[in-house]
Amino acid sequence: MFSGSIPALVTPFCDGAFSEKHFRALIDWQIEQGSSALVPAGTTGEASTLSNAEHHRVIEVCIEQAAGRVPIIAGCGSNDTTNAILHLNFSKKSGAAAGLVVAPYYNRPNQEGIYAHFHRMTEKNDLPIVLYNVPARTVTDIKPETVAALAKLPTVIGIKDASGDLSRVTDHRLACPPDFCQLSGVDELSLAFNASGGVGCISVTANVAPKLCAEFQAACATGDYELARNLNDKLYPLHLALFSDASPGPIKYALSRVIEGFPTELRLPMTPPCEASRRQVDAALENAGLIG
């Protein structure tokens, strides 16, 4: 259902408030540069610091500005199943193509609880769900056998896998339906992820390098792995630099270097990237040909 380069969009803030103006411009640029879908209100979008009203407005603006040009996978995650359903219901009503739903964090449910969380969501809404597994942030890990069980539910259509375990791609490919959509959640692993059976990436780097990321994903999709490796070499230092300090600080800084006037403001407890991180981002942007 989804493939290619899919940016996990930042949420721009000015004077503490969501900046619709900057967000709309970012969406237009992303689409013009070849992004195949967009993810608002995810981890990179600082969803954990948004009120529900803000969270829903970010999704609403994204759908409105994209205007059907690309599908929107709305961030619908919460550690509270009822609140996740609230996000899913809003996203369905607003015209999202799917919801990206992270494994419940902080509560630390077992595999039965993880399954029950997603199963309840499918009972309450028929919007397609992309699972999001990121154990480094959530502590919980959606194990391959749980993914396989969830993939049998009619509206669970894929996974954003940020486990960092490349063997999971094969585990899921062998255990899930043939059309189960596997998207990488780790930019620097995307080359190997796609070679193992993935079809794209929900990407941090695509925020600032949408054209290069789209070209990389297109090369993988056509089996041109020589071109894909060359593009990956150009992007690889940037993938690493954008996590040289707490995300999304480095990616917002990178956007300010590429898009004049793009706001770097973060919400606490996130703080601006350190000087060493900024230097690494600058060098990686130059290596990628994004700044002179």
Side-chain angles (χ1 to χ4, degrees):
M1 186 171 180
F2 303 106
S3 62
S5 178
I6 305 170
L9 296 171
V10 301
T11 302
F13 300 116
C14 289
D15 298 323
F18 168 44
S19 175
E20 291 190 16
K21 176 183 74 172
H22 289 99
F23 195 52
R24 290 179 186 277
L26 178 63
I27 289 163
D28 285 342
W29 184 58
Q30 288 290 334
I31 295 169
E32 291 161 6
Q33 294 286 303
S35 297
S36 58
L38 301 173
V39 175
T43 303
T44 308
E46 296 174 80
S48 59
T49 70
L50 300 175
S51 68
N52 274 359
E54 290 174 319
H55 189 128
H56 293 170
R57 184 58 183 157
V58 169
I59 292 169
E60 188 174 48
V61 169
C62 189
I63 293 168
E64 180 181 303
Q65 192 66 25
R69 290 176 288 172
V70 296
I72 306 304
I73 308 170
C76 294
S78 176
N79 65 328
D80 171 10
T81 304
T82 299
N83 205 49
I85 292 167
L86 178 73
H87 293 329
L88 200 70
N89 289 343
F90 180 85
S91 299
K92 170 69 182 292
K93 180 182 71 176
S94 299
L100 179 68
V101 185
V102 72
Y105 45 86
Y106 188 77
N107 311 55
R108 298 182 67 182
N110 58 21
Q111 294 301 300
E112 181 181 355
I114 292 170
Y115 179 87
H117 173 78
F118 287 103
H119 185 262
R120 176 66 59 84
M121 295 185 75
T122 67
E123 289 181 320
K124 296 296 183 180
N125 196 295
D126 64 355
L127 187 68
I129 289 174
V130 177
L131 309 173
Y132 178 17
N133 192 31
V134 56
R137 288 186 179 272
T138 63
V139 183
T140 53
D141 180 12
I142 312 176
K143 299 291 187 182
E145 56 270 26
T146 305
V147 172
L150 288 168
K152 294 177 182 177
L153 300 174
T155 58
V156 175
I157 56 93
I159 187 169
K160 174 186 176 181
D161 190 343
S163 68
D165 182 354
L166 287 169
S167 69
R168 295 282 179 95
V169 188
T170 303
D171 288 336
H172 299 156
R173 186 165 49 79
L174 294 176
C176 298
D179 58 351
F180 187 73
C181 174
Q182 295 201 63
L183 302 167
S184 175
V186 183
D187 277 294
E188 64 268 26
L189 297 181
S190 290
L191 182 64
F193 190 97
N194 286 345
S196 299
V199 295
C201 181
I202 296 180
S203 166
V204 173
T205 304
N207 275 280
V208 73
K211 188 171 187 292
L212 284 174
C213 288
E215 290 172 347
F216 164 76
Q217 290 294 339
C220 291
T222 59
D224 188 347
Y225 277 94
E226 182 177 358
L227 175 58
R229 283 191 295 271
N230 290 337
L231 289 166
N232 188 64
D233 289 349
K234 185 179 286 191
L235 286 163
Y236 189 77
L238 187 56
H239 296 330
L240 301 183
L242 294 177
F243 285 88
S244 58
D245 208 337
S247 182
I251 184 58
K252 283 193 166 180
Y253 170 72
L255 278 162
S256 76
R257 298 285 284 118
V258 171
I259 301 173
E260 185 176 356
F262 194 90
T264 60
E265 189 175 323
L266 301 155
R267 282 190 172 172
L268 289 172
M270 308 314 295
T271 56
C274 65
E275 183 182 350
S277 174
R278 295 195 303 271
R279 287 199 303 267
Q280 188 175 342
V281 169
D282 285 340
L285 289 172
E286 189 169 350
N287 180 76
L290 298 173
I291 61 173

